[in-house]
Amino acid sequence: MREDAEQREDRAPSGEGLLDRALRVLGSFSEDDPALTAAELGARATLSSSTLHRLLARLVDQGLLVRLPDRRYAIGPRLWELGELSPLALRLRETALPHMLRLYEATGENVHLAVLDGPSPEGSAALYVGRVTGRHSIPTLSRMGGRGPLHTTGVGKALLMTRDDAWLARYFTAPLERETVHSLTDENALRTDLSRARARGFATTREEMTLGNVSVAAPLPRIDGLPPTAIGLVVHLERADERRLGPLVIQTARELADDLR
């Protein structure tokens, strides 16, 4: 059967298919740019105008994108609905929520739940899958669905605690960005910090991601079917009693792991 013009255009000469193009469009959105015009999407996804508009129409029809009144596009409800079927939502976050609330009630501080995510060690980050905060908690940069560096966040360092030498060797091949003047970007310094964290069972950051903030976090034991996971607190420097907070996050991590099993 002869392909029609639309089918031929939906497959790039390189063999790229419609799904690849759709993923490029969906991947154009970010925390800084949650809504984009068709022109912006075309430039970011490197698609011709005709291909882009046909693809946008399909994505809107399926609820994967929505068209806003100002003629920009945003992520649609169907994509959110599908995301909520992930084990990170159905199994991990839903099970973790009561534990996170108890930790918040005991401390009054921000509670973060994160997993290790990335295509390779050198491209990995902490993906935030849960967050509990209150009006007296210190403001943070994190959000559910957002990512944070492994070397400057409490949950990130807790995740690094669980990695073996081969994984860390690859991780350190990529340069570590300095978020504040206190960030640890030297491999030897960070390895020493991780060794101390393993010895006491929890990781800490002191103004390494945000000035004035201290993080205390602990990894969960390995859970079949889930990526490496960590839970932690973000508190103001003046309230950072690590001797009290450390045991609390360790206990929460253990109890959560027991429930997940």
Side-chain angles (χ1 to χ4, degrees):
M1 182 182 297
R2 178 178 297 179
E3 294 179 324
D4 60 26
E6 181 176 332
Q7 288 175 314
R8 289 195 300 270
E9 192 172 352
D10 278 342
R11 190 169 62 248
S14 63
E16 181 186 57
L18 181 62
L19 177 60
D20 299 293
R21 296 182 180 193
L23 290 174
R24 291 221 311 272
V25 170
L26 295 174
S28 298
F29 297 94
S30 68
E31 182 176 0
D32 294 328
D33 296 303
L36 295 167
T37 65
E40 291 169 333
L41 287 169
R44 295 187 181 197
T46 61
L47 294 174
S48 68
S49 178
S50 59
T51 298
L52 175 70
H53 282 87
R54 187 171 63 254
L55 184 56
L56 289 176
R58 293 188 183 184
L59 292 172
V60 170
D61 286 343
Q62 295 298 320
L64 300 177
L65 289 182
V66 292
R67 192 175 186 187
L68 304 176
D70 60 3
R71 302 176 68 86
R72 293 188 299 169
Y73 293 85
I75 296 297
R78 180 60 176 159
L79 200 57
W80 172 81
E81 181 183 4
L82 291 172
E84 287 296 293
L85 298 177
S86 163
L88 297 181
L90 282 178
R91 184 182 177 196
L92 177 57
R93 190 190 64 212
E94 293 303 307
T95 304
L97 187 56
H99 297 272
M100 298 173 69
L101 289 172
R102 284 196 294 271
L103 186 56
Y104 171 77
E105 291 168 356
T107 63
E109 307 290 356
N110 294 289
V111 182
H112 290 157
L113 183 71
V115 299
L116 183 67
D117 185 69
S120 64
E122 56 270 32
S124 291
L127 173 63
Y128 293 98
V129 297
R131 183 170 182 262
V132 174
T133 187
R135 57 194 182 96
H136 297 301
S137 304
I138 189 171
T140 65
L141 299 175
S142 62
R143 65 172 181 85
M144 284 183 56
R147 295 175 181 271
L150 294 174
H151 67 295
T152 59
T153 60
V155 287
K157 280 190 185 179
L159 293 168
L160 286 177
M161 287 170 55
T162 68
R163 302 298 86 197
D164 60 24
D165 288 339
W167 195 97
L168 289 174
R170 289 188 58 185
Y171 172 73
F172 283 117
T173 60
L176 303 179
E177 294 188 10
R178 187 178 298 278
E179 303 292 342
T180 75
V181 295
H182 302 287
S183 301
L184 297 182
T185 58
D186 175 74
E187 178 179 347
N188 290 332
L190 186 52
R191 283 184 179 273
T192 298
D193 190 62
L194 292 175
S195 295
R196 288 195 295 262
R198 293 189 188 100
R200 65 182 174 232
F202 64 90
T204 62
T205 63
R206 298 184 69 83
E207 302 188 279
E208 295 167 42
M209 184 67 188
T210 306
L211 293 177
N213 286 10
V214 172
S215 299
V216 181
L220 273 66
R222 180 67 182 172
I223 305 294
D224 290 341
L226 291 175
T229 306
I231 191 167
L233 297 165
V234 180
V235 307
H236 192 275
L237 182 63
E238 296 177 351
R239 302 194 297 268
D241 184 355
E242 296 172 9
R243 290 176 296 180
R244 182 178 74 90
L245 299 177
L248 287 174
V249 296
I250 291 174
Q251 179 182 357
T252 302
R254 289 173 178 168
E255 292 175 350
L256 172 55
D258 288 342
D259 270 5
L260 287 167
R261 289 182 176 130

